[in-house]
Structures are given as C-alpha cells and as structure tokens.
Amino acid sequence: MAGKLGAATMVKKNYDQQLNIETGPEQNSKPFLNYYPYEPTPYPVLEQLAKNIKLKPSDYVIDYGCGKGRLLFYLNAVFGVNARGIEMDDHLYFLAEKNRLYYLKQRPKSKNQIQFLCMHAEKYIVQPTDNKFYFFNPFSVSIFIKVFNNILESLEQFDREVDLIFYYPSIEYVSYLENRTLFQLTKEIKIEGEFEHDPNERILIYSYERAIMK
C-alpha cells in the first residue's frame, strides 16, 4: 500500500494548511525539570526524512515529546503509518488532540491510526507493535536512558526490528548509544543547506536487528 499522499505531492506547500493543523511555536508550554521546551521539527527536515526512509502502513511511529503532533500527522499523511505521540505538557497535549480532530475532518480513515497520550515519556509502556521511535532532543539523557530501557524490555519480550530516529542528535544520546548499547548506526541524513553551517543539522538512525543481537 502506498502512502496516502506521497512526499512528492507535499512539496512546496503550506503543510499546516494542507494537513488542516496548527503546529507552530508555542509560547505557553511550561518548563519541566529534565524536559526541554517544545520546538517542532522543521518541515524541510521532515521532507528529507521522508525521502530517505521507507515506512509501511503497518509501522508504528512513536514520537517522544510530540508537542502538537507535526511529525506524526506528516508521516501519517505521506506513508499511512500508525502514529502515537507521548507528551507530558497537558497544554500541548490539548493542542495535539485539537489538531487531531481537525486533521481527521479531512482524513477520517486515519481515525484509528493516530493517538496522543498525556504522560511522562518514561512511563509509556512500549507496545509489541511499536517499531519506529523518534526523538528531537525532548529530554535529558537520564530520561532517555529510562525510555531506552523500556524499549529494550519490550524487545526482550517481543523480538523485532526497530529504528531509533534522532534529529539534531544530542551528543549525550549518541555517546550512550555508541558506548553502552548494541544498536548500530545504519543511516545518516545530512540536512541540505543546513549541515554545511551546523554539523548537528542531521538525522541519525540507529537500528536493532535480530541478527545483530543473537
């Protein structure tokens, strides 16, 4: 099954308007210890992500610190994936749910594919179907380690291939993955027009494959 829109059909458009959502910067999000302020992934970055990865409608994308849900709506529109956002800020969660209602007015068939949960990331119980995990520096490395351990626990119970996707990757995250885990770097996407000026403008994908771990 192909994506619902396809990345090519979404180029050079006002994405929020096309998706019937509002995911711009937010002034009312609250600061929390070890959790960082809301900042949506830029749409040009999402374009390049979509061009460089292959997602299927059977995939389950989990966005930790999803904010207003931009990444999830975009990937659902392009690939038809299942999408679940984890957001601890109740105000941002409210806005994500509001966006979901407006998004579904145009895409009612996606009703059962998109879900938002208002909770701390480390409290989320990773589901057996979850296989793509997205991070845009949502919290400190101490929280990340707890989240990562939850993913590992799920893999011990339900062995499967998964990808961890990092935009503007934290040095602490990368150091932990490289030195403390068996996950392997399988793809680096340098953001066109940005990486040349800022080497952090990239997407790293770390993968768990059954063959690696056995």
Side-chain angles (χ1 to χ4, degrees):
M1 178 179 175
K4 294 184 177 182
L5 292 180
T9 64
M10 296 188 69
V11 175
K12 298 180 181 179
K13 291 182 179 291
N14 182 320
Y15 294 109
D16 268 14
Q17 183 177 356
Q18 184 181 357
L19 298 173
N20 202 32
I21 58 177
E22 198 291 303
T23 60
E26 178 60 37
Q27 302 298 322
N28 297 319
S29 59
K30 296 174 289 187
F32 295 95
L33 182 65
N34 290 317
Y35 279 80
Y36 302 146
Y38 167 67
E39 183 177 357
T41 302
Y43 276 117
V45 173
L46 294 182
E47 288 179 356
Q48 294 189 47
L49 176 63
K51 291 177 182 177
N52 286 278
I53 62 171
K54 295 181 180 179
L55 295 177
K56 307 181 298 295
S58 59
D59 287 327
Y60 277 75
V61 179
I62 310 302
D63 183 1
Y64 288 102
C66 68
K68 300 179 185 179
R70 174 183 292 184
L71 170 99
L72 301 175
F73 294 119
Y74 181 89
L75 293 182
N76 177 261
V78 174
F79 295 105
V81 297
N82 298 282
R84 183 174 298 127
I86 313 300
E87 178 54 58
M88 66 164 297
D89 186 322
D90 53 2
H91 176 67
L92 291 174
Y93 167 76
F94 169 80
L95 296 177
E97 282 288 356
K98 182 178 179 180
N99 278 331
R100 180 177 178 271
L101 294 176
Y102 280 103
Y103 178 81
L104 293 176
K105 286 183 178 180
Q106 294 185 351
R107 297 170 177 82
K109 292 183 179 179
S110 296
K111 180 178 180 180
N112 296 323
Q113 293 182 312
I114 300 177
Q115 179 185 21
F116 294 102
L117 300 175
C118 187
M119 63 191 307
H120 288 73
E122 65 272 26
K123 299 296 184 181
Y124 173 67
I125 299 175
V126 177
Q127 300 300 300
T129 50
D130 298 344
N131 65 334
K132 309 292 180 182
F133 302 89
Y134 183 82
F135 302 85
F136 176 16
N137 295 327
F139 32 66
S140 69
V141 69
S142 62
I143 300 296
F144 172 72
I145 292 172
K146 293 178 181 179
V147 169
F148 179 81
N149 286 336
N150 290 341
I151 295 172
L152 278 187
E153 183 177 343
S154 175
L155 290 174
E156 290 174 357
Q157 298 176 7
F158 304 96
D159 194 20
R160 60 197 186 277
E161 296 183 359
V162 305
D163 292 320
L164 308 182
I165 304 169
F166 302 89
Y167 167 55
Y168 210 91
S170 158
I171 294 175
E172 291 80 9
Y173 283 22
V174 171
S175 177
Y176 180 80
L177 289 167
E178 295 282 355
N179 298 306
R180 303 289 297 276
T181 81
L182 294 179
F183 274 64
Q184 294 187 0
L185 178 64
T186 53
K187 185 180 285 290
E188 178 183 19
I189 305 168
K190 297 177 181 178
I191 305 305
E192 297 175 6
E194 299 293 339
F195 179 80
E196 297 81 358
H197 309 290
D198 183 351
N200 288 319
E201 282 288 352
R202 58 181 179 154
I203 296 170
L204 299 182
I205 300 179
Y206 284 83
S207 300
Y208 168 110
E209 298 176 8
R210 289 179 241 188
I212 292 176
M213 307 298 284
K214 291 185 177 181

PDB file of all heavy atoms in Angstrom, residues 10-26:
ATOM      1  N   MET A  10       3.549  16.768  -1.478  1.00  0.00           N
ATOM      2  CA  MET A  10       3.505  17.708  -0.377  1.00  0.00           C
ATOM      3  C   MET A  10       4.607  18.757  -0.460  1.00  0.00           C
ATOM      4  O   MET A  10       4.754  19.588   0.407  1.00  0.00           O
ATOM      5  CB  MET A  10       3.612  16.965   0.957  1.00  0.00           C
ATOM      6  CG  MET A  10       2.438  16.036   1.198  1.00  0.00           C
ATOM      7  SD  MET A  10       2.454  15.347   2.865  1.00  0.00           S
ATOM      8  CE  MET A  10       2.089  16.805   3.827  1.00  0.00           C
ATOM      9  N   VAL A  11       5.393  18.713  -1.509  1.00  0.00           N
ATOM     10  CA  VAL A  11       6.484  19.664  -1.660  1.00  0.00           C
ATOM     11  C   VAL A  11       5.947  21.037  -2.062  1.00  0.00           C
ATOM     12  O   VAL A  11       4.984  21.157  -2.809  1.00  0.00           O
ATOM     13  CB  VAL A  11       7.492  19.154  -2.709  1.00  0.00           C
ATOM     14  CG1 VAL A  11       8.579  20.191  -2.968  1.00  0.00           C
ATOM     15  CG2 VAL A  11       8.125  17.852  -2.229  1.00  0.00           C
ATOM     16  N   LYS A  12       6.597  22.086  -1.541  1.00  0.00           N
ATOM     17  CA  LYS A  12       6.278  23.465  -1.885  1.00  0.00           C
ATOM     18  C   LYS A  12       4.843  23.842  -1.533  1.00  0.00           C
ATOM     19  O   LYS A  12       4.161  24.538  -2.263  1.00  0.00           O
ATOM     20  CB  LYS A  12       6.538  23.728  -3.373  1.00  0.00           C
ATOM     21  CG  LYS A  12       8.005  23.552  -3.766  1.00  0.00           C
ATOM     22  CD  LYS A  12       8.221  23.819  -5.231  1.00  0.00           C
ATOM     23  CE  LYS A  12       9.678  23.615  -5.607  1.00  0.00           C
ATOM     24  NZ  LYS A  12       9.914  23.844  -7.041  1.00  0.00           N
ATOM     25  N   LYS A  13       4.365  23.368  -0.400  1.00  0.00           N
ATOM     26  CA  LYS A  13       3.023  23.707   0.050  1.00  0.00           C
ATOM     27  C   LYS A  13       3.093  24.193   1.491  1.00  0.00           C
ATOM     28  O   LYS A  13       4.069  23.944   2.196  1.00  0.00           O
ATOM     29  CB  LYS A  13       2.091  22.493  -0.058  1.00  0.00           C
ATOM     30  CG  LYS A  13       1.766  22.060  -1.479  1.00  0.00           C
ATOM     31  CD  LYS A  13       0.812  20.888  -1.472  1.00  0.00           C
ATOM     32  CE  LYS A  13       0.454  20.443  -2.878  1.00  0.00           C
ATOM     33  NZ  LYS A  13      -0.370  21.426  -3.587  1.00  0.00           N
ATOM     34  N   ASN A  14       2.048  24.870   1.920  1.00  0.00           N
ATOM     35  CA  ASN A  14       1.919  25.219   3.320  1.00  0.00           C
ATOM     36  C   ASN A  14       1.421  23.967   4.034  1.00  0.00           C
ATOM     37  O   ASN A  14       0.246  23.631   3.972  1.00  0.00           O
ATOM     38  CB  ASN A  14       0.927  26.373   3.498  1.00  0.00           C
ATOM     39  CG  ASN A  14       0.808  26.800   4.946  1.00  0.00           C
ATOM     40  OD1 ASN A  14       0.795  25.978   5.857  1.00  0.00           O
ATOM     41  ND2 ASN A  14       0.705  28.095   5.162  1.00  0.00           N
ATOM     42  N   TYR A  15       2.317  23.252   4.690  1.00  0.00           N
ATOM     43  CA  TYR A  15       1.980  21.942   5.228  1.00  0.00           C
ATOM     44  C   TYR A  15       0.897  22.001   6.299  1.00  0.00           C
ATOM     45  O   TYR A  15      -0.020  21.183   6.300  1.00  0.00           O
ATOM     46  CB  TYR A  15       3.232  21.273   5.783  1.00  0.00           C
ATOM     47  CG  TYR A  15       4.247  20.942   4.724  1.00  0.00           C
ATOM     48  CD1 TYR A  15       5.442  21.647   4.633  1.00  0.00           C
ATOM     49  CD2 TYR A  15       4.013  19.935   3.797  1.00  0.00           C
ATOM     50  CE1 TYR A  15       6.373  21.356   3.661  1.00  0.00           C
ATOM     51  CE2 TYR A  15       4.936  19.633   2.824  1.00  0.00           C
ATOM     52  CZ  TYR A  15       6.115  20.347   2.759  1.00  0.00           C
ATOM     53  OH  TYR A  15       7.042  20.061   1.786  1.00  0.00           O
ATOM     54  N   ASP A  16       1.009  22.939   7.232  1.00  0.00           N
ATOM     55  CA  ASP A  16      -0.031  23.043   8.253  1.00  0.00           C
ATOM     56  C   ASP A  16      -1.394  23.253   7.609  1.00  0.00           C
ATOM     57  O   ASP A  16      -2.388  22.621   7.991  1.00  0.00           O
ATOM     58  CB  ASP A  16       0.281  24.198   9.209  1.00  0.00           C
ATOM     59  CG  ASP A  16       1.080  23.751  10.428  1.00  0.00           C
ATOM     60  OD1 ASP A  16       1.621  22.624  10.404  1.00  0.00           O
ATOM     61  OD2 ASP A  16       1.158  24.517  11.403  1.00  0.00           O
ATOM     62  N   GLN A  17      -1.455  24.124   6.632  1.00  0.00           N
ATOM     63  CA  GLN A  17      -2.722  24.388   5.964  1.00  0.00           C
ATOM     64  C   GLN A  17      -3.212  23.150   5.227  1.00  0.00           C
ATOM     65  O   GLN A  17      -4.395  22.804   5.284  1.00  0.00           O
ATOM     66  CB  GLN A  17      -2.569  25.549   4.975  1.00  0.00           C
ATOM     67  CG  GLN A  17      -3.868  25.942   4.288  1.00  0.00           C
ATOM     68  CD  GLN A  17      -3.678  27.151   3.378  1.00  0.00           C
ATOM     69  OE1 GLN A  17      -2.598  27.738   3.310  1.00  0.00           O
ATOM     70  NE2 GLN A  17      -4.734  27.516   2.678  1.00  0.00           N
ATOM     71  N   GLN A  18      -2.308  22.470   4.546  1.00  0.00           N
ATOM     72  CA  GLN A  18      -2.701  21.283   3.794  1.00  0.00           C
ATOM     73  C   GLN A  18      -3.195  20.169   4.719  1.00  0.00           C
ATOM     74  O   GLN A  18      -4.138  19.452   4.386  1.00  0.00           O
ATOM     75  CB  GLN A  18      -1.521  20.778   2.968  1.00  0.00           C
ATOM     76  CG  GLN A  18      -1.885  19.585   2.081  1.00  0.00           C
ATOM     77  CD  GLN A  18      -0.693  19.097   1.285  1.00  0.00           C
ATOM     78  OE1 GLN A  18       0.382  19.672   1.353  1.00  0.00           O
ATOM     79  NE2 GLN A  18      -0.900  18.027   0.537  1.00  0.00           N
ATOM     80  N   LEU A  19      -2.554  20.039   5.878  1.00  0.00           N
ATOM     81  CA  LEU A  19      -2.931  18.988   6.817  1.00  0.00           C
ATOM     82  C   LEU A  19      -4.063  19.416   7.754  1.00  0.00           C
ATOM     83  O   LEU A  19      -4.543  18.622   8.550  1.00  0.00           O
ATOM     84  CB  LEU A  19      -1.710  18.572   7.638  1.00  0.00           C
ATOM     85  CG  LEU A  19      -0.541  17.974   6.833  1.00  0.00           C
ATOM     86  CD1 LEU A  19       0.675  17.774   7.738  1.00  0.00           C
ATOM     87  CD2 LEU A  19      -0.945  16.671   6.177  1.00  0.00           C
ATOM     88  N   ASN A  20      -4.463  20.682   7.662  1.00  0.00           N
ATOM     89  CA  ASN A  20      -5.546  21.224   8.471  1.00  0.00           C
ATOM     90  C   ASN A  20      -5.198  21.220   9.960  1.00  0.00           C
ATOM     91  O   ASN A  20      -6.026  20.907  10.819  1.00  0.00           O
ATOM     92  CB  ASN A  20      -6.852  20.438   8.244  1.00  0.00           C
ATOM     93  CG  ASN A  20      -8.084  21.245   8.609  1.00  0.00           C
ATOM     94  OD1 ASN A  20      -8.096  22.468   8.476  1.00  0.00           O
ATOM     95  ND2 ASN A  20      -9.121  20.566   9.059  1.00  0.00           N
ATOM     96  N   ILE A  21      -3.948  21.605  10.267  1.00  0.00           N
ATOM     97  CA  ILE A  21      -3.473  21.629  11.641  1.00  0.00           C
ATOM     98  C   ILE A  21      -2.717  22.935  11.893  1.00  0.00           C
ATOM     99  O   ILE A  21      -2.478  23.706  10.965  1.00  0.00           O
ATOM    100  CB  ILE A  21      -2.535  20.440  11.941  1.00  0.00           C
ATOM    101  CG1 ILE A  21      -1.324  20.449  10.979  1.00  0.00           C
ATOM    102  CG2 ILE A  21      -3.305  19.123  11.848  1.00  0.00           C
ATOM    103  CD1 ILE A  21      -0.310  19.353  11.244  1.00  0.00           C
ATOM    104  N   GLU A  22      -2.327  23.165  13.172  1.00  0.00           N
ATOM    105  CA  GLU A  22      -1.517  24.317  13.534  1.00  0.00           C
ATOM    106  C   GLU A  22      -0.433  23.836  14.497  1.00  0.00           C
ATOM    107  O   GLU A  22      -0.714  23.458  15.623  1.00  0.00           O
ATOM    108  CB  GLU A  22      -2.383  25.386  14.206  1.00  0.00           C
ATOM    109  CG  GLU A  22      -1.729  26.768  14.225  1.00  0.00           C
ATOM    110  CD  GLU A  22      -0.518  26.835  15.155  1.00  0.00           C
ATOM    111  OE1 GLU A  22      -0.671  26.539  16.348  1.00  0.00           O
ATOM    112  OE2 GLU A  22       0.597  27.183  14.676  1.00  0.00           O
ATOM    113  N   THR A  23       0.813  23.816  14.001  1.00  0.00           N
ATOM    114  CA  THR A  23       1.887  23.239  14.806  1.00  0.00           C
ATOM    115  C   THR A  23       3.079  24.177  14.968  1.00  0.00           C
ATOM    116  O   THR A  23       4.204  23.732  15.179  1.00  0.00           O
ATOM    117  CB  THR A  23       2.375  21.912  14.181  1.00  0.00           C
ATOM    118  OG1 THR A  23       2.873  22.177  12.852  1.00  0.00           O
ATOM    119  CG2 THR A  23       1.259  20.892  14.118  1.00  0.00           C
ATOM    120  N   GLY A  24       2.844  25.471  14.868  1.00  0.00           N
ATOM    121  CA  GLY A  24       3.938  26.429  15.009  1.00  0.00           C
ATOM    122  C   GLY A  24       4.448  26.523  16.432  1.00  0.00           C
ATOM    123  O   GLY A  24       3.987  25.799  17.328  1.00  0.00           O
ATOM    124  N   PRO A  25       5.416  27.408  16.679  1.00  0.00           N
ATOM    125  CA  PRO A  25       5.984  27.593  18.026  1.00  0.00           C
ATOM    126  C   PRO A  25       4.901  27.915  19.045  1.00  0.00           C
ATOM    127  O   PRO A  25       3.863  28.493  18.707  1.00  0.00           O
ATOM    128  CB  PRO A  25       6.957  28.758  17.835  1.00  0.00           C
ATOM    129  CG  PRO A  25       7.323  28.714  16.382  1.00  0.00           C
ATOM    130  CD  PRO A  25       6.072  28.267  15.676  1.00  0.00           C
ATOM    131  N   GLU A  26       5.166  27.548  20.277  1.00  0.00           N
ATOM    132  CA  GLU A  26       4.182  27.723  21.343  1.00  0.00           C
ATOM    133  C   GLU A  26       4.786  28.504  22.504  1.00  0.00           C
ATOM    134  O   GLU A  26       5.836  28.141  23.037  1.00  0.00           O
ATOM    135  CB  GLU A  26       3.692  26.354  21.833  1.00  0.00           C
ATOM    136  CG  GLU A  26       2.697  26.404  22.965  1.00  0.00           C
ATOM    137  CD  GLU A  26       1.429  27.162  22.609  1.00  0.00           C
ATOM    138  OE1 GLU A  26       0.970  27.057  21.440  1.00  0.00           O
ATOM    139  OE2 GLU A  26       0.890  27.863  23.484  1.00  0.00           O
TER     140      GLU A  26
END
